Structure formats: structure tokens, C-alpha cells
Amino acid sequence: MKEQDNPKSALHEKDGIPQPESFSVSAMAKVLTSRKVQPSAEELVKGILSGNISALSRAITLVESTNPSHLAKANDIISASLPHANQSVRIGITGVPGVGKSTFIEAFGKYLTGLGKKVAVLAVDPSSSISHGSILGDKTRMEELVKDPNAFIRPSASGETLGGVARKTRETIILCEAAGFDTIIIETVGVGQSETAVHSMVDFFLLLKIAGAGDELQGIKRGIMEMADAIVINKADGDNVAKAKLAKTEFNRALHLFPAKSSGWIPTVTTCSAYEKTGIDNVWQIISDYFSLVKGNKYFEEKRQSQSQYWMMETINEQLKNHFYQHPEIAALLEQNKKAVEENQLSPFAAAMQLLAKYFK
């Protein structure tokens, strides 16, 4: 009788077992809560001084941030880290694309960690002028070094900074030094007419070259050659050994054409093979000899002081520029003057003077 009251088809679906939740509501709430809780500046500084890589990475992210709300916190972290910094050697490495900078830095970094040193690599990747994006593939290229517990690799996008050096690299150096890294390596985008900013934040400037690719003539340019403390001809292996030796002779001759350095150091040319890991020890010996000289004649301290003053002035210039463009009245007038310049109603120079006059009032 009951079956007649509730007739069911022969094809009806049986009641199944209720499925469990696909995720834990409590676990999700815990994750969301933890994401909202950001460590304080004091907590990050404590982590940095203890060598905590996660704290160091989060602090660098704050320093690199363009969010105005992060500026005060980043400044507090830098100020607290500053007394624990300046205990490292800073080495800038540059060279044309394809010279093997990443391969060299990995071989060089592994050699240094083998000596018991702690190495931080600040790799600056080129940003697209169209999309403003950056691949940031240095960790992929340095797959051995990135696994080394005594190494830290931080790729950053170069942005629009002159010389291919990330805008906040100077502050990042301080944080890495406070975290206990005694050797800081800065890899720049590549050699160009404006590739000089790295020279203002490092103690030793190393120029990587290759032989047999028409690179010798390109390398003998006064600006970049005058800044180099050492020229290392990479890829001196296989059939390229003879060409590398010839290039070494040519670069040595070129260096004699330049005036003596105020440090008293005579730039050196050497060859190496980052792929075969040969000649790396000689590169470090050259760098060690340089530091023995400049620390003995007090040039090391003088250069550090000069660089600090330079970056103070650069920071003032940067902040003034940012304040100018963020001023609401200037932003409105800027669009008007852009249109007037496009329509030839106003010269670019007169338009600029109007904007500056408005700003200073």
C-alpha cells in the first residue's frame, strides 16, 4: 500500500552517501586570517638579524614597493638594520647580453660558499619598455646556487632606472648585510652608455667580456673601461682558448691608455670558463688583492662615504620628482600643457616652465 502511495520508477536513483566538504571551512578561515596579519617592522628586523630568509624577502618586498603606505615601515626596517650593515664586500658584475653573467655568477658564488662565505646575489632583470614586465629568470638559470644554504638570490625588475640598477637595490644591500651576508654580488642588465649606476654602490666593478664575437672593439670604450677594476674574459674553453688569450693582450694594452685610478689600483685582465669552472679562483684572488690595497690606503672607507652622500642626493631628487608628478594641481595642468604642446600652441620648454612655476608657488 505504501509503494502505491509513493510509486518509484524502476530507473530511480538510490540515495547515496553524502559527500564531504571539498575544503575545510575552518582551515580556510585560518589561512585568510594569517594572510591579513602582517609582521611588524620590529618582527621583520628581528628575523633579518637572525638570518631568517623569509623575513629578509618580505622586508625587501616592502622596500621595493611603490605603495606609499609601505614607505614608513620600510624606512624603519632600514634604519634598524643600518647599524648591522657595512660588513660585506660589494661586487658589481656587468657585461653585454650573452656574455654568460648568470653562469659566471653561479660558478663564482659556489666557489665563494665553498670557502665558507655567505653570498647574496641581487640580479637586476631588464624590464620591457612596452609592457613594463620582467621575466626574472635568474633563479632558474642559477639552479645550483639557488639550492645552496649559504646563498640568497633576489631577482628584481630594473624598471626605468638609469643604468639598469633597480631603484631600491641600495637599500636591499643594507638588509642583506644585516642578515649576515658577507659578499654581495650585483648583476646588472648589461653594458650601455648609461650603465654606470652600479659603480656608485659597489666596491669592486667587474666587467665580463667574451672573445671571438666582435666584442673587443665594443669593449674599448672609455666610459665603461675606466670604471672597470678587472676585466674577465669568459668562455675561455674549447676552441676559444686562443682567442681569449689574444683578447686578454688587447685589453691589457687598452687599459694602459687610461689615467691611473685614485684608488692606486691597476686594473687587471684575466680569462676564465664559467662552464668548466676554470680560472674562478684567479678572479677571486684579484678581488682579494684589490681589497687588501684599498683597505690599507683608506680608499675603501672614503669611497663608501662618498657613495652614501651620492645616494642621499639621489633620494632627494627622486622624492622631489615623485612629489611633483603626484601634486593634484600639477597633474591637471600637465595634461593641458601636453595637449597644447601636441597642437603646437606652446613650446615644450615654455610648457615645462609653466608647470615648474605653478609647483614652486
Side-chain angles (χ1 to χ4, degrees), residues 78-153:
I78 293 168
S79 297
S81 300
L82 199 56
H84 307 277
N86 296 304
Q87 301 299 317
S88 75
V89 294
R90 305 167 183 170
I91 303 168
I93 298 179
T94 190
V96 295
V99 76
K101 290 189 294 294
S102 296
T103 307
F104 173 81
I105 290 172
E106 179 171 53
F108 186 55
K110 288 294 291 182
Y111 175 79
L112 293 178
T113 57
L115 297 177
K117 297 188 177 296
K118 293 192 67 178
V119 180
V121 179
L122 308 180
V124 184
D125 267 16
S127 298
S128 168
S129 59
I130 299 173
S131 65
H132 304 289
S134 183
I135 295 175
L136 303 176
D138 295 273
K139 284 193 173 185
T140 304
R141 293 196 295 268
M142 303 179 196
E143 55 184 16
E144 290 298 322
L145 188 61
V146 75
K147 293 182 288 187
D148 195 311
N150 289 320
F152 171 71
I153 302 175

Side-chain angles (χ1 to χ4, degrees), residues 43 51 133 224 227 232 275 278 309 319 360:
E43 290 172 331
I224 197 70
M227 290 188 297
V232 177
Y275 178 73
T278 55
Q309 292 179 7
Q319 292 301 316
F360 286 119

Side-chain angles (χ1 to χ4, degrees), residues 290-302:
Y290 171 84
F291 283 112
S292 296
L293 174 69
V294 297
K295 288 186 177 180
N297 62 16
K298 305 301 181 183
Y299 178 78
F300 181 85
E301 291 82 1
E302 292 173 5

Side-chain angles (χ1 to χ4, degrees), residues 29-200:
K30 186 177 180 181
V31 169
L32 292 174
T33 303
S34 64
R35 284 181 179 175
K36 292 178 182 178
V37 178
Q38 296 294 330
S40 64
E42 292 77 12
E43 290 172 331
L44 287 175
V45 170
K46 185 178 179 180
I48 290 169
L49 298 181
S50 66
N52 185 297
I53 297 301
S54 295
L56 174 61
S57 298
R58 297 185 78 162
I60 293 174
T61 300
L62 281 173
V63 166
E64 292 179 342
S65 174
T66 56
N67 189 334
S69 64
H70 294 162
L71 182 61
K73 189 174 181 180
N75 286 338
D76 290 341
I77 295 171
I78 293 168
S79 297
S81 300
L82 199 56
H84 307 277
N86 296 304
Q87 301 299 317
S88 75
V89 294
R90 305 167 183 170
I91 303 168
I93 298 179
T94 190
V96 295
V99 76
K101 290 189 294 294
S102 296
T103 307
F104 173 81
I105 290 172
E106 179 171 53
F108 186 55
K110 288 294 291 182
Y111 175 79
L112 293 178
T113 57
L115 297 177
K117 297 188 177 296
K118 293 192 67 178
V119 180
V121 179
L122 308 180
V124 184
D125 267 16
S127 298
S128 168
S129 59
I130 299 173
S131 65
H132 304 289
S134 183
I135 295 175
L136 303 176
D138 295 273
K139 284 193 173 185
T140 304
R141 293 196 295 268
M142 303 179 196
E143 55 184 16
E144 290 298 322
L145 188 61
V146 75
K147 293 182 288 187
D148 195 311
N150 289 320
F152 171 71
I153 302 175
R154 176 74 181 201
S156 301
S158 63
E160 300 176 353
T161 309
L162 178 67
V165 180
R167 183 170 56 92
K168 297 296 185 179
T169 301
R170 183 70 171 79
E171 287 84 354
T172 302
I173 291 173
I174 294 171
L175 298 181
C176 289
E177 289 176 340
F181 291 96
D182 52 37
T183 307
I184 313 294
I185 297 174
I186 303 175
E187 178 196 358
T188 64
V189 173
V191 176
Q193 296 298 323
S194 62
E195 184 72 5
T196 58
V198 64
H199 190 255
S200 63

